[in-house]
Amino acid sequence: MEMDPSENVLGRRLEPCSTSPLTGFFRDGHCNTCASDHGSHTVCAVMTAEFLAYSKYVGNDLSTPRPEFRFPGLKPGDRWCLCASRFLQAHDEGCAPRVDLAATHARALEIVPLEILESHAMSES
């Protein structure tokens, strides 16, 4: 699998999303992607209880550990590379989590408009 260039939605080098829990399609801590990543796991999001409940409700339980898939189960505050379409769906339903733009891959823009990502951007400290 050839990885796409590691560029974020701001046009700069993609920053890490999370190594604890270890996230990303490649489980490299970044929201890197490639042609084989059909879910486009490109949006670096900070989990909330509301989003985790919503995701479980629509059929993707992100809270329950699945060790057979090296998946620890997520809790509020964890950062995770979400599927861009799931993020957009959560936005449309009013429960999208915050996004780290510097750690969100540019390929997310194929699914989610930059204005929507910016409206959920984490505040810079």
Side-chain angles (χ1 to χ4, degrees):
M1 286 187 282
E2 186 174 335
M3 190 183 301
D4 288 4
S6 294
E7 182 178 301
N8 66 30
V9 297
L10 305 172
R12 298 191 294 261
R13 179 136 186 90
L14 187 67
E15 293 186 12
C17 182
S18 175
T19 56
S20 183
L22 188 59
T23 191
F25 180 76
F26 292 98
R27 289 298 191 263
D28 62 357
H30 292 73
C31 296
N32 281 307
T33 191
C34 67
S36 297
D37 179 11
H38 300 293
S40 187
H41 296 80
T42 52
V43 177
C44 181
V46 180
M47 298 296 100
T48 63
E50 180 184 31
F51 174 77
L52 290 169
Y54 170 76
S55 189
K56 185 173 185 176
Y57 174 75
V58 295
N60 188 20
D61 181 1
L62 295 173
S63 303
T64 302
R66 298 291 304 269
E68 67 273 24
F69 299 117
R70 297 184 299 154
F71 181 70
L74 303 177
K75 61 188 180 315
D78 285 343
R79 293 163 54 100
W80 194 250
C81 294
L82 285 182
C83 292
S85 59
R86 178 68 64 186
F87 174 82
L88 184 58
Q89 182 183 23
H91 163 77
D92 291 345
E93 296 292 329
C95 59
R98 289 281 173 217
V99 173
D100 182 343
L101 296 175
T104 295
H105 197 281
R107 290 272 311 269
L109 298 174
E110 295 174 4
I111 298 168
V112 184
L114 182 58
E115 299 76 33
I116 290 176
L117 290 168
E118 289 174 334
S119 73
H120 295 283
M122 296 170 30
S123 49
E124 301 294 324
S125 26

